[in-house]
């Protein structure tokens, strides 16, 4: 295996600098750890990986179940001088990176539910949480933390989660698959950092979308409404058309695919 994770820092050359990679047997949240490192000025770019999380984070304040040995929990930290509006694209790029890694390792198709969920066999197997951190006295750049949670196995998951969560279904080779995925995703993230302004992944994102052409229910701060998902713009925004014919571009909020009546 190319990357060996211990509690001490491993590193990879990036633009002539070292990219630290920190590993933990257990932590509250890799996203929170990344923000702590950024807050005290320790690093501006790093990768954090944990075997388990006691307070894994999902979108909109939800928790992400992160039991030991059953998944991959990792966060990429980097800084940027770009406007916050440009950071939205990051989740889109990372979704493509993880989808490609999943297919490479498992040989099973992976599709994306806008904007941050990855599905295999009609079940969610991965969630991505991107958080922006405003400049501080220690770091004058905008910090971006991208959390990735992948369910390798759902054995011993609570019943309510097993009803909706999917896994890679590789019980006999769980450890080998985890190591291969960590390596593949890490290499993809490093390549992304080297080409962070390259938006060519949008076309791949469109191909992998499970929502384009579908009737969806959109949720925003004002409520919900029905629409049809039409396209993905160059920043990763979802272009929808409401029942009244109005077109909107969603950069925040959530959607669900509207199931047709039998």
């Amino acid at each position: 295996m190319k990357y060996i994770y211990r509690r001490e820092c491993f590193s990879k050359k990036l633009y002539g600098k070292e990219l630290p990679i920190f590993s933990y047997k257990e932590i509250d949240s890799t996203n929170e750890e990344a923000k702590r490192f950024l807050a005290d000025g320790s690093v501006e770019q790093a990768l954090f990986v944990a075997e388990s999380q006691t307070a894994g984070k999902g979108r909109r304040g939800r928790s992400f179940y992160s039991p030991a040995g059953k998944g991959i929990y990792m966060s990429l930290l980097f800084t940027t001088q770009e406007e916050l509006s440009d950071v939205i694209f990051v989740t889109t790029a990372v979704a493509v990176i993880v989808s490609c890694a999943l297919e490479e390792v498992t040989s099973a198709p992976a599709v994306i539910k806008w904007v941050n969920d990855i599905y295999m066999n009609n079940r969610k197997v991965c969630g991505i949480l991107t958080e922006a951190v405003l400049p501080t006295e220690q770091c004058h750049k905008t910090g971006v933390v991208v959390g990735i949670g992948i369910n390798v196995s759902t054995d011993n998951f609570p019943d309510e989660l097993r009803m909706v969560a999917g896994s890679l279904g590789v019980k006999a080779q769980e450890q080998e698959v985890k190591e291969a995925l960590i390596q593949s995703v890490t290499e993809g993230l490093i390549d992304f950092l080297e080409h962070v302004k390259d938006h060519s992944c949008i076309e791949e994102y469109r191909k992998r979308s499970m929502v384009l052409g579908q009737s969806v229910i959109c949720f925003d701060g004002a409520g919900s409404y029905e629409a049809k998902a039409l396209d993905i713009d160059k920043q990763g925004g979802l272009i929808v058309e409401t029942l009244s014919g109005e077109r909107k571009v969603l950069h925040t909020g959530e959607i669900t695919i509207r199931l047709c009546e039998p």
Side-chain angles (χ1 to χ4, degrees), residues 2 29 31 38 40 56 64 112 129 188 199 234:
K2 187 173 181 180
S29 160
N31 267 33
L38 182 67
D40 67 17
F64 188 91
I112 304 169
L129 174 64
H199 286 214
K234 66 179 183 179

Side-chain angles (χ1 to χ4, degrees), residues 14 26 33 80 121 133 147 151 164 184 188 212 218 234 244 251 260:
L14 178 68
E26 181 179 275
E33 181 73 344
T80 178
N121 298 317
V133 183
N151 296 330
V164 295
S184 183
L212 294 186
C218 306
K234 66 179 183 179
S244 65
H251 288 291
C260 296

Side-chain angles (χ1 to χ4, degrees), residues 36 149 182-183 192 260:
R36 286 191 286 264
I182 290 172
Q183 176 173 327
F192 166 71
C260 296

Side-chain angles (χ1 to χ4, degrees), residues 102-118:
L102 287 169
E103 286 195 358
E104 175 188 335
V105 171
T106 68
S107 300
V111 295
I112 304 169
K113 175 179 173 288
W114 187 88
V115 58
N116 66 321
D117 293 336
I118 298 173

